[in-house]
Amino acid sequence: MNCPAMSASASSSRSYSTFRPRPLLPQTSHDSQRSVLHYSRLPSEVFATSPLRLLGKHSLPLRAVVTSKNISSSSGVISGDEKIGVLLLNLGGPETLDDVQPFLFNLFADPDIIRLPPLFQFLQKPLAQFISVARAPKSKEGYASIGGGSPLRHITDAQAEEISKCLSEKNVPAKVYVGMRYWHPFTEEAIEQIKTDGITKLVVLPLYPQFSISTSGSSLRLLERIFREDEYLVNMQHTVIPSWYQREGYIKAMANLIQNELGKFDSPSQVVIFFSAHGVPLAYVEEAGDPYKAEMEECVDLIMEELDKRNITNAYTLAYQSRVGPVEWLKPYTEEAITELGKKGVENLLAVPISFVSEHIETLEEIDVEYKELALKSGIKNWGRVPALGTEPLFISDLADAVVESLPYVGAMAVSNLEARQSLVPLGSVEELLATYDSQRRELPAPVTMWEWGWTRSAETWNGRAAMLAVLALLVLEVTTGKGFLHQWGILPSS
């Protein structure tokens, strides 16, 4: 694959004006051209210049920063004896049906996925075990329907290979590694290989366009623990690209895909563009300060601005999918938004998986099967779906550019020019980013690759705790209802 180039001059000269969202669907009102979903805005703090190729307009003050000396161009910071590494971080996914249950356990045992109050943190693993056992049968059906496992590892490996090729074409020899949070190759495995290869400078690149505590933040917390426990890693310089939703190449690549799919409809201008993002609990945003919602909304604005420049002025909306559990998540929920659009008479819908850069269960089964079926039942006649970016050349080249542009910041972050435009979560080290965006960190569980049954120490511990919880639940039930075995046996008096 040849890496398409975007000249720095062309990038810096392009001005992206502040986009004001218009009144929206599902509560439809119209301006001259487009109706859109309304969502809250961050105050606009416009910064002047940037060494990075970013398009965004909303910024927050740089908080997680350290002082640094003058930084020169990337070519000046790579000496002959330096070994550059790039660590791609992603969620991971079960590769076979037998992997589904332990994968789900690893997912729900992460305190960034299910955050329990301090008093109940001892329930994290029992709760993860209960949820994973309960959800495994339905999840297995989903994975069986897409071929018996997640394609995420295969796609991420391909992305790593293409990024490596692009970096070579840009005269930056680097080894690219893949570290998954909840399944093989685990982040711990990638770090061991990085040490074996003698990497001296590391760029950490989460494959999530927008930063969230539950995705990039969780992986960074794991890296923080690993780094602190290893002398080699303590001395290895690194920087993190925490989010890159504002980058020109990413925005253009997304706009290209949307434009291509719109062309497949009989009446492209009548299609509602439906951005569906992975949801997070509302408390993460409102209480923990997660910038995910703000970054997601700005990302959608930027893509629609790019489409505006191409005279594509379709109505659009943003909703959130994949919620789990009884707590409130970011709204509107995708399934409710689809139903509402059907009631409003929308007949043409193009789904855009905005927070996913690879095909996996949420796109191939949840969107392509469940949401499509719901849309057709809700009165939508024509359904389309934009593919995930995968190894799209412009996207891959832009990620490689992001790595090159971050190299001057490896080991330190330049703050001499606080006027520089940054994404909502700026470049920084693992520790700096977590100190700012995830200050209440909790101990992480070790990954589980297979279930231990029988009279093992681990099984006895968790079986005992589960039994204690069951006994406690039965006691509460008996006391509150006045019925049960203890009353029948005369141990507790009947009312």
Side-chain angles (χ1 to χ4, degrees):
M1 181 191 78
N2 293 325
C3 293
M6 291 189 304
S7 68
S9 59
S11 170
S12 60
S13 64
R14 183 174 282 105
S15 172
Y16 277 74
S17 61
T18 301
F19 182 85
R20 299 299 179 188
R22 297 155 187 167
L24 51 130
L25 292 166
Q27 290 115 9
T28 311
S29 72
H30 298 276
D31 65 358
S32 60
Q33 291 182 305
R34 174 187 289 139
S35 55
V36 303
L37 258 175
H38 178 270
Y39 32 70
S40 60
R41 286 282 121 220
L42 287 178
S44 181
E45 298 177 52
V46 181
F47 295 91
T49 59
S50 173
L52 303 181
R53 207 165 280 153
L54 303 178
L55 307 181
K57 60 215 167 293
H58 302 300
S59 301
L60 294 179
L62 293 177
R63 293 179 285 172
V65 294
V66 291
T67 5
S68 169
K69 22 184 194 172
N70 252 349
I71 302 292
S72 60
S73 67
S74 61
S75 59
V77 297
I78 306 176
S79 60
D81 56 349
E82 296 283 7
K83 290 188 176 180
I84 307 298
V86 180
L87 176 59
L88 303 182
L89 299 177
N90 213 330
L91 186 81
E95 297 175 67
T96 69
L97 297 182
D98 290 337
D99 299 338
V100 171
Q101 190 169 322
F103 165 77
L104 291 175
F105 176 85
N106 290 335
L107 179 69
F108 293 114
D110 183 355
D112 280 323
I113 299 298
I114 299 179
R115 290 199 163 192
L116 299 176
L119 185 63
F120 298 99
Q121 286 178 18
F122 72 96
L123 295 176
Q124 189 84 46
K125 286 187 177 180
L127 183 61
Q129 181 173 350
F130 172 78
I131 296 174
S132 63
V133 169
R135 288 177 62 92
K138 187 175 187 304
S139 293
K140 284 183 178 180
E141 290 178 7
Y143 282 107
S145 72
I146 63 170
S150 172
L152 187 60
R153 178 175 184 174
H154 170 74
I155 295 171
T156 309
D157 285 343
Q159 290 169 331
E161 183 178 351
E162 295 301 330
I163 291 172
S164 179
K165 290 178 183 176
C166 272
L167 288 172
S168 294
E169 292 179 18
K170 299 173 190 295
N171 298 316
V172 179
K175 289 194 173 183
V176 183
Y177 305 85
V178 172
M180 300 294 192
R181 182 65 183 89
Y182 305 114
W183 203 244
H184 298 288
F186 288 115
T187 304
E188 295 92 334
E189 298 169 1
I191 290 295
E192 285 303 312
Q193 189 59 52
I194 286 170
K195 290 167 57 180
T196 299
D197 293 342
I199 297 300
T200 57
K201 286 190 173 184
L202 183 67
V203 176
V204 180
L205 177 59
L207 288 177
Y208 310 104
Q210 305 82 16
F211 181 90
S212 173
I213 292 171
S214 60
T215 53
S216 304
S218 176
S219 292
L220 295 183
R221 292 177 68 240
L222 176 60
L223 282 178
E224 179 187 46
R225 188 193 72 184
I226 297 172
F227 282 11
R228 286 181 175 176
E229 295 174 354
D230 192 293
E231 184 179 355
Y232 178 89
L233 299 173
V234 167
N235 296 320
M236 181 183 64
Q237 294 183 331
H238 77 276
T239 195
V240 181
I241 305 173
S243 63
W244 34 269
Y245 65 94
Q246 293 175 309
R247 293 191 59 85
E248 183 178 5
Y250 166 73
I251 295 298
K252 285 184 175 294
M254 287 297 300
N256 289 344
L257 292 178
I258 293 171
Q259 186 173 13
N260 290 341
E261 293 303 316
L262 284 173
K264 298 178 182 179
F265 286 82
D266 291 336
S267 302
S269 63
Q270 301 302 311
V271 178
V272 174
I273 301 173
F274 190 97
F275 293 96
S276 187
H278 200 292
V280 300
L282 183 62
Y284 284 21
V285 174
E286 293 190 344
E287 298 174 21
D290 195 335
Y292 178 72
K293 180 175 182 286
E295 292 200 346
M296 184 60 68
E297 292 173 356
E298 185 178 7
C299 179
V300 170
D301 283 356
L302 291 170
I303 293 171
M304 295 311 301
E305 282 186 10
E306 176 60 33
L307 291 174
D308 273 340
K309 295 178 183 295
R310 306 178 188 191
N311 296 317
I312 297 173
T313 57
N314 294 57
Y316 69 99
T317 188
L318 167 65
Y320 297 90
Q321 68 179 82
S322 309
R323 74 184 190 275
V324 178
V327 300
E328 185 175 3
W329 285 46
L330 288 179
K331 290 183 177 180
Y333 300 139
T334 292
E335 60 272 25
E336 294 178 359
I338 289 174
T339 302
E340 185 66 21
L341 290 173
K343 291 179 181 178
K344 295 289 185 182
V346 171
E347 296 185 352
N348 303 283
L349 199 66
L350 177 61
V352 182
I354 186 61
S355 56
F356 311 101
V357 299
S358 304
E359 303 289 359
H360 56 306
I361 190 75
E362 280 88 350
T363 59
L364 298 173
E365 201 275 334
E366 192 171 3
I367 295 180
D368 286 354
V369 179
E370 296 179 23
Y371 292 148
K372 179 181 179 180
E373 181 179 344
L374 175 63
L376 297 177
K377 285 182 179 178
S378 301
I380 292 165
K381 297 179 181 179
N382 302 302
W383 167 275
R385 203 263 285 180
V386 170
L389 286 162
T391 55
E392 197 278 335
L394 182 59
F395 164 62
I396 292 294
S397 180
D398 193 50
L399 287 185
D401 284 340
V403 170
V404 174
E405 293 162 11
S406 72
L407 286 175
Y409 302 95
V410 173
M413 181 175 173
V415 295
S416 56
N417 181 11
L418 288 180
E419 295 289 311
R421 174 181 291 177
Q422 300 287 345
S423 60
L424 293 176
V425 181
L427 277 168
S429 71
V430 169
E431 293 81 4
E432 292 162 354
L433 291 166
L434 291 176
T436 302
Y437 295 99
D438 193 17
S439 58
Q440 297 180 350
R441 303 191 288 286
R442 301 190 179 113
E443 182 181 354
L444 293 166
V448 171
T449 57
M450 62 180 295
W451 286 101
E452 291 184 315
W453 300 105
W455 297 106
T456 64
R457 182 175 179 180
S458 173
E460 287 187 62
T461 299
W462 294 114
N463 289 341
R465 290 180 180 177
M468 289 172 62
L469 288 171
V471 170
L472 180 61
L474 288 173
L475 283 173
V476 171
L477 187 64
E478 292 236 1
V479 171
T480 55
T481 64
K483 298 178 182 179
F485 291 109
L486 297 181
H487 286 84
Q488 292 177 7
W489 295 339
I491 298 176
L492 290 177
S494 300
S495 55

